[in-house]
Amino acid sequence: MQIDKAEQYVLERLEKELDPTLFYHGIHHTLDVVQASAEIAALEGITDEESLTLLRTAAFYHDSGFMDTYQGHEEAGCALAREVLPGFGYTEGQIGAICGMIMATKIPQSPKNMLERIICDADLDYLGRDDFEGIAATLFEELKVRDMVEDIPAWDAVQVRFLEAHCYWTPSEQKRRDATKEQHLQQLKNGARAL
């Protein structure tokens, strides 16, 4: 597998082809998920080289479908992976595993194995981090441009519902992020009541 070339290929395309109004789902989010998935994999004791390579590739490709579509971008990302990864030496089985990880990130998340659980947690790692508010603000702007959310009170209500329904899938992420995520939820609930 030529992982470096596979990464470089998708990064160059994301830089050129992503809509500039993807304030949340920009290249910075992809790189954040790559970083978070590596951290979680280490915490979960994943050391198998092939597993780590497939996870990393899935992280790089998980939102590549946004180059083509907003709704259903996971399927579009899988289509891209199936189209280009054989050229970088990935087997059909490896690409199947990568597509499984990409599809697992679709909301509501439905991971079926440990690597899928890790990428799901990496994709929403920010929910339990200190930079939550700043990142959530970029998602609000992205959705507002697409007329998918009206205003801040409506957005806060969406976030409360999302945080209440969300759970981290890996023990390490639960330990690392649950308490801070709960604080964000309480702040949103308190703020929503004050309006």
Tab-separated table of all heavy atoms in Angstrom, residues 66-105:
chain	number	residue	atom	x	y	z
A	66	PHE	N	-17.729	15.017	0.274
A	66	PHE	CA	-18.214	16.407	0.261
A	66	PHE	C	-17.775	17.144	-1.000
A	66	PHE	O	-18.334	18.191	-1.325
A	66	PHE	CB	-17.733	17.174	1.503
A	66	PHE	CG	-18.605	16.965	2.705
A	66	PHE	CD1	-18.155	16.230	3.792
A	66	PHE	CD2	-19.880	17.510	2.764
A	66	PHE	CE1	-18.952	16.041	4.917
A	66	PHE	CE2	-20.689	17.329	3.878
A	66	PHE	CZ	-20.228	16.594	4.959
A	67	MET	N	-16.789	16.601	-1.719
A	67	MET	CA	-16.385	17.223	-2.989
A	67	MET	C	-17.505	17.102	-4.020
A	67	MET	O	-17.583	17.899	-4.946
A	67	MET	CB	-15.096	16.589	-3.524
A	67	MET	CG	-13.884	16.884	-2.646
A	67	MET	SD	-12.331	16.308	-3.354
A	67	MET	CE	-12.460	14.517	-3.202
A	68	ASP	N	-18.381	16.097	-3.829
A	68	ASP	CA	-19.443	15.836	-4.800
A	68	ASP	C	-20.841	16.180	-4.291
A	68	ASP	O	-21.693	16.599	-5.065
A	68	ASP	CB	-19.436	14.355	-5.211
A	68	ASP	CG	-18.148	13.962	-5.892
A	68	ASP	OD1	-17.688	14.724	-6.762
A	68	ASP	OD2	-17.589	12.913	-5.535
A	69	THR	N	-21.084	15.966	-2.999
A	69	THR	CA	-22.451	16.104	-2.493
A	69	THR	C	-22.429	16.392	-0.997
A	69	THR	O	-21.470	16.020	-0.310
A	69	THR	CB	-23.255	14.811	-2.764
A	69	THR	OG1	-24.612	15.009	-2.339
A	69	THR	CG2	-22.679	13.604	-2.045
A	70	TYR	N	-23.489	17.034	-0.501
A	70	TYR	CA	-23.589	17.283	0.943
A	70	TYR	C	-24.322	16.123	1.604
A	70	TYR	O	-23.812	15.499	2.507
A	70	TYR	CB	-24.292	18.622	1.215
A	70	TYR	CG	-23.987	19.161	2.597
A	70	TYR	CD1	-22.805	19.864	2.835
A	70	TYR	CD2	-24.854	18.949	3.661
A	70	TYR	CE1	-22.501	20.339	4.111
A	70	TYR	CE2	-24.559	19.424	4.939
A	70	TYR	CZ	-23.389	20.123	5.158
A	70	TYR	OH	-23.084	20.575	6.416
A	71	GLN	N	-25.539	15.837	1.104
A	71	GLN	CA	-26.286	14.680	1.620
A	71	GLN	C	-25.732	13.417	0.957
A	71	GLN	O	-25.570	13.379	-0.252
A	71	GLN	CB	-27.783	14.820	1.281
A	71	GLN	CG	-28.426	16.094	1.808
A	71	GLN	CD	-28.525	16.138	3.331
A	71	GLN	OE1	-28.408	15.121	3.999
A	71	GLN	NE2	-28.714	17.320	3.883
A	72	GLY	N	-25.460	12.407	1.763
A	72	GLY	CA	-24.940	11.160	1.193
A	72	GLY	C	-23.461	11.209	0.864
A	72	GLY	O	-22.976	10.460	0.017
A	73	HIS	N	-22.730	12.101	1.547
A	73	HIS	CA	-21.295	12.219	1.237
A	73	HIS	C	-20.519	10.957	1.615
A	73	HIS	O	-19.472	10.682	1.024
A	73	HIS	CB	-20.684	13.441	1.923
A	73	HIS	CG	-20.651	13.347	3.413
A	73	HIS	ND1	-21.684	13.771	4.203
A	73	HIS	CD2	-19.717	12.827	4.254
A	73	HIS	CE1	-21.379	13.547	5.469
A	73	HIS	NE2	-20.203	12.965	5.538
A	74	GLU	N	-21.034	10.170	2.572
A	74	GLU	CA	-20.315	8.946	2.943
A	74	GLU	C	-20.268	7.968	1.768
A	74	GLU	O	-19.206	7.410	1.461
A	74	GLU	CB	-20.973	8.264	4.159
A	74	GLU	CG	-20.936	9.104	5.432
A	74	GLU	CD	-22.152	10.011	5.613
A	74	GLU	OE1	-23.013	10.054	4.702
A	74	GLU	OE2	-22.248	10.681	6.656
A	75	GLU	N	-21.414	7.791	1.115
A	75	GLU	CA	-21.452	6.902	-0.056
A	75	GLU	C	-20.511	7.409	-1.159
A	75	GLU	O	-19.805	6.626	-1.794
A	75	GLU	CB	-22.883	6.792	-0.614
A	75	GLU	CG	-23.831	6.003	0.267
A	75	GLU	CD	-24.484	6.798	1.400
A	75	GLU	OE1	-24.134	7.974	1.617
A	75	GLU	OE2	-25.349	6.225	2.093
A	76	ALA	N	-20.507	8.731	-1.360
A	76	ALA	CA	-19.623	9.319	-2.376
A	76	ALA	C	-18.155	9.125	-1.999
A	76	ALA	O	-17.309	8.892	-2.869
A	76	ALA	CB	-19.948	10.806	-2.561
A	77	GLY	N	-17.852	9.201	-0.705
A	77	GLY	CA	-16.479	8.963	-0.249
A	77	GLY	C	-16.048	7.530	-0.487
A	77	GLY	O	-14.903	7.261	-0.885
A	78	CYS	N	-16.969	6.595	-0.256
A	78	CYS	CA	-16.689	5.174	-0.536
A	78	CYS	C	-16.451	4.957	-2.028
A	78	CYS	O	-15.547	4.213	-2.415
A	78	CYS	CB	-17.866	4.301	-0.109
A	78	CYS	SG	-17.776	3.830	1.606
A	79	ALA	N	-17.266	5.603	-2.839
A	79	ALA	CA	-17.109	5.462	-4.292
A	79	ALA	C	-15.724	5.954	-4.722
A	79	ALA	O	-15.049	5.309	-5.532
A	79	ALA	CB	-18.207	6.241	-5.027
A	80	LEU	N	-15.288	7.068	-4.149
A	80	LEU	CA	-13.956	7.587	-4.472
A	80	LEU	C	-12.879	6.599	-4.019
A	80	LEU	O	-11.949	6.300	-4.768
A	80	LEU	CB	-13.730	8.955	-3.812
A	80	LEU	CG	-12.345	9.565	-4.062
A	80	LEU	CD1	-12.182	9.957	-5.531
A	80	LEU	CD2	-12.103	10.766	-3.156
A	81	ALA	N	-13.012	6.076	-2.800
A	81	ALA	CA	-12.030	5.110	-2.285
A	81	ALA	C	-11.951	3.891	-3.205
A	81	ALA	O	-10.856	3.425	-3.545
A	81	ALA	CB	-12.414	4.688	-0.860
A	82	ARG	N	-13.114	3.380	-3.620
A	82	ARG	CA	-13.135	2.201	-4.505
A	82	ARG	C	-12.515	2.502	-5.870
A	82	ARG	O	-11.906	1.639	-6.498
A	82	ARG	CB	-14.567	1.693	-4.681
A	82	ARG	CG	-15.123	1.052	-3.422
A	82	ARG	CD	-16.455	0.342	-3.671
A	82	ARG	NE	-17.083	-0.060	-2.425
A	82	ARG	CZ	-16.694	-1.062	-1.640
A	82	ARG	NH1	-15.639	-1.778	-1.990
A	82	ARG	NH2	-17.325	-1.353	-0.527
A	83	GLU	N	-12.655	3.752	-6.295
A	83	GLU	CA	-12.131	4.157	-7.605
A	83	GLU	C	-10.610	4.324	-7.582
A	83	GLU	O	-9.918	3.861	-8.490
A	83	GLU	CB	-12.801	5.487	-8.001
A	83	GLU	CG	-12.343	6.062	-9.330
A	83	GLU	CD	-12.860	7.486	-9.519
A	83	GLU	OE1	-13.968	7.802	-9.026
A	83	GLU	OE2	-12.141	8.277	-10.143
A	84	VAL	N	-10.080	4.986	-6.545
A	84	VAL	CA	-8.658	5.371	-6.590
A	84	VAL	C	-7.716	4.478	-5.785
A	84	VAL	O	-6.547	4.338	-6.147
A	84	VAL	CB	-8.451	6.848	-6.162
A	84	VAL	CG1	-9.289	7.773	-7.043
A	84	VAL	CG2	-8.731	7.082	-4.703
A	85	LEU	N	-8.194	3.864	-4.697
A	85	LEU	CA	-7.257	3.134	-3.830
A	85	LEU	C	-6.624	1.902	-4.471
A	85	LEU	O	-5.473	1.578	-4.146
A	85	LEU	CB	-7.917	2.784	-2.491
A	85	LEU	CG	-8.198	3.995	-1.575
A	85	LEU	CD1	-8.889	3.561	-0.289
A	85	LEU	CD2	-6.925	4.772	-1.260
A	86	PRO	N	-7.303	1.199	-5.404
A	86	PRO	CA	-6.591	0.089	-6.062
A	86	PRO	C	-5.305	0.567	-6.743
A	86	PRO	O	-4.301	-0.157	-6.754
A	86	PRO	CB	-7.600	-0.425	-7.105
A	86	PRO	CG	-8.933	-0.063	-6.512
A	86	PRO	CD	-8.715	1.266	-5.841
A	87	GLY	N	-5.314	1.785	-7.257
A	87	GLY	CA	-4.123	2.348	-7.905
A	87	GLY	C	-2.975	2.605	-6.943
A	87	GLY	O	-1.826	2.790	-7.354
A	88	PHE	N	-3.291	2.631	-5.646
A	88	PHE	CA	-2.252	2.817	-4.625
A	88	PHE	C	-1.929	1.502	-3.903
A	88	PHE	O	-1.340	1.497	-2.827
A	88	PHE	CB	-2.685	3.885	-3.606
A	88	PHE	CG	-2.889	5.241	-4.217
A	88	PHE	CD1	-4.148	5.824	-4.245
A	88	PHE	CD2	-1.826	5.938	-4.790
A	88	PHE	CE1	-4.344	7.077	-4.821
A	88	PHE	CE2	-2.013	7.190	-5.364
A	88	PHE	CZ	-3.274	7.764	-5.384
A	89	GLY	N	-2.370	0.379	-4.494
A	89	GLY	CA	-1.988	-0.931	-3.984
A	89	GLY	C	-2.877	-1.502	-2.885
A	89	GLY	O	-2.511	-2.476	-2.232
A	90	TYR	N	-4.040	-0.910	-2.679
A	90	TYR	CA	-4.972	-1.447	-1.678
A	90	TYR	C	-5.771	-2.582	-2.306
A	90	TYR	O	-6.199	-2.487	-3.458
A	90	TYR	CB	-5.941	-0.360	-1.201
A	90	TYR	CG	-5.312	0.703	-0.329
A	90	TYR	CD1	-4.477	1.679	-0.866
A	90	TYR	CD2	-5.570	0.751	1.040
A	90	TYR	CE1	-3.916	2.670	-0.067
A	90	TYR	CE2	-5.011	1.740	1.841
A	90	TYR	CZ	-4.187	2.696	1.281
A	90	TYR	OH	-3.638	3.673	2.080
A	91	THR	N	-5.992	-3.660	-1.538
A	91	THR	CA	-6.764	-4.792	-2.044
A	91	THR	C	-8.263	-4.517	-1.877
A	91	THR	O	-8.663	-3.602	-1.145
A	91	THR	CB	-6.437	-6.076	-1.261
A	91	THR	OG1	-6.904	-5.927	0.089
A	91	THR	CG2	-4.946	-6.382	-1.270
A	92	GLU	N	-9.061	-5.340	-2.512
A	92	GLU	CA	-10.520	-5.208	-2.408
A	92	GLU	C	-10.971	-5.341	-0.948
A	92	GLU	O	-11.831	-4.597	-0.473
A	92	GLU	CB	-11.189	-6.274	-3.281
A	92	GLU	CG	-12.620	-5.935	-3.635
A	92	GLU	CD	-13.209	-6.902	-4.656
A	92	GLU	OE1	-12.582	-7.105	-5.717
A	92	GLU	OE2	-14.282	-7.445	-4.368
A	93	GLY	N	-10.377	-6.277	-0.229
A	93	GLY	CA	-10.721	-6.490	1.176
A	93	GLY	C	-10.364	-5.289	2.044
A	93	GLY	O	-11.134	-4.894	2.923
A	94	GLN	N	-9.197	-4.714	1.778
A	94	GLN	CA	-8.773	-3.524	2.529
A	94	GLN	C	-9.703	-2.343	2.244
A	94	GLN	O	-10.093	-1.606	3.155
A	94	GLN	CB	-7.323	-3.165	2.183
A	94	GLN	CG	-6.322	-4.171	2.717
A	94	GLN	CD	-4.938	-3.993	2.116
A	94	GLN	OE1	-4.774	-3.525	0.980
A	94	GLN	NE2	-3.924	-4.388	2.878
A	95	ILE	N	-10.078	-2.184	0.988
A	95	ILE	CA	-10.977	-1.088	0.614
A	95	ILE	C	-12.362	-1.315	1.230
A	95	ILE	O	-13.016	-0.371	1.685
A	95	ILE	CB	-11.044	-0.931	-0.924
A	95	ILE	CG1	-9.668	-0.505	-1.456
A	95	ILE	CG2	-12.115	0.088	-1.334
A	95	ILE	CD1	-9.501	-0.630	-2.948
A	96	GLY	N	-12.777	-2.565	1.310
A	96	GLY	CA	-14.046	-2.888	1.969
A	96	GLY	C	-14.029	-2.464	3.432
A	96	GLY	O	-15.000	-1.893	3.946
A	97	ALA	N	-12.899	-2.721	4.103
A	97	ALA	CA	-12.759	-2.323	5.510
A	97	ALA	C	-12.778	-0.799	5.642
A	97	ALA	O	-13.401	-0.247	6.560
A	97	ALA	CB	-11.463	-2.887	6.100
A	98	ILE	N	-12.110	-0.114	4.721
A	98	ILE	CA	-12.079	1.355	4.722
A	98	ILE	C	-13.488	1.905	4.505
A	98	ILE	O	-13.925	2.828	5.210
A	98	ILE	CB	-11.087	1.874	3.654
A	98	ILE	CG1	-9.651	1.588	4.106
A	98	ILE	CG2	-11.297	3.363	3.372
A	98	ILE	CD1	-8.614	1.708	3.014
A	99	CYS	N	-14.208	1.345	3.549
A	99	CYS	CA	-15.583	1.797	3.291
A	99	CYS	C	-16.493	1.519	4.489
A	99	CYS	O	-17.373	2.322	4.797
A	99	CYS	CB	-16.145	1.163	2.024
A	99	CYS	SG	-15.504	1.952	0.536
A	100	GLY	N	-16.261	0.407	5.173
A	100	GLY	CA	-17.017	0.118	6.389
A	100	GLY	C	-16.828	1.217	7.416
A	100	GLY	O	-17.784	1.665	8.058
A	101	MET	N	-15.581	1.677	7.550
A	101	MET	CA	-15.289	2.753	8.501
A	101	MET	C	-15.932	4.068	8.063
A	101	MET	O	-16.507	4.797	8.882
A	101	MET	CB	-13.773	2.928	8.661
A	101	MET	CG	-13.134	1.835	9.504
A	101	MET	SD	-11.364	2.118	9.752
A	101	MET	CE	-10.677	0.999	8.547
A	102	ILE	N	-15.834	4.380	6.778
A	102	ILE	CA	-16.436	5.621	6.274
A	102	ILE	C	-17.949	5.597	6.527
A	102	ILE	O	-18.524	6.564	7.036
A	102	ILE	CB	-16.132	5.811	4.764
A	102	ILE	CG1	-14.633	6.050	4.542
A	102	ILE	CG2	-16.957	6.968	4.192
A	102	ILE	CD1	-14.210	6.036	3.080
A	103	MET	N	-18.594	4.493	6.199
A	103	MET	CA	-20.056	4.404	6.345
A	103	MET	C	-20.481	4.415	7.814
A	103	MET	O	-21.561	4.898	8.147
A	103	MET	CB	-20.591	3.152	5.647
A	103	MET	CG	-20.492	3.195	4.125
A	103	MET	SD	-21.198	4.695	3.372
A	103	MET	CE	-22.904	4.560	3.888
A	104	ALA	N	-19.616	3.915	8.698
A	104	ALA	CA	-19.945	3.894	10.133
A	104	ALA	C	-20.091	5.308	10.700
A	104	ALA	O	-20.807	5.511	11.678
A	104	ALA	CB	-18.876	3.125	10.902
A	105	THR	N	-19.432	6.293	10.060
A	105	THR	CA	-19.493	7.672	10.579
A	105	THR	C	-20.799	8.373	10.228
A	105	THR	O	-21.067	9.462	10.724
A	105	THR	CB	-18.313	8.535	10.056
A	105	THR	OG1	-18.426	8.703	8.634
A	105	THR	CG2	-16.966	7.911	10.406
